[in-house]
Amino acid sequence: REHLVPWVGRRLTGRSSGDHVTAKRPELERFAPRGYAERSE
C-alpha cells in the first residue's frame, strides 16, 4: 500500500514522481574530486 497507491495515483493523473522538484544545484559548477588541488604550471 505504501508504494503502490501513490504510484497508481501518479499514473492516473499523468504525473511523475519528479514533477515540481527543483535541481539541487541549478547552476553548473566546476567539479574537482576531494583532496584535489589545481596545479599551476
Side-chain angles (χ1 to χ4, degrees):
R1 272 187 244 186
E2 183 180 338
H3 303 289
L4 182 63
V5 173
W7 182 86
V8 170
R10 286 192 305 270
R11 295 298 154 242
L12 292 174
T13 59
R15 291 183 298 141
S16 170
S17 58
D19 287 353
H20 307 292
V21 175
T22 58
K24 186 173 185 177
R25 294 187 174 93
E27 300 294 324
L28 289 177
E29 297 177 8
R30 188 176 193 114
F31 173 77
R34 290 185 186 189
Y36 177 83
E38 285 191 41
R39 298 177 190 154
S40 56
E41 294 180 34

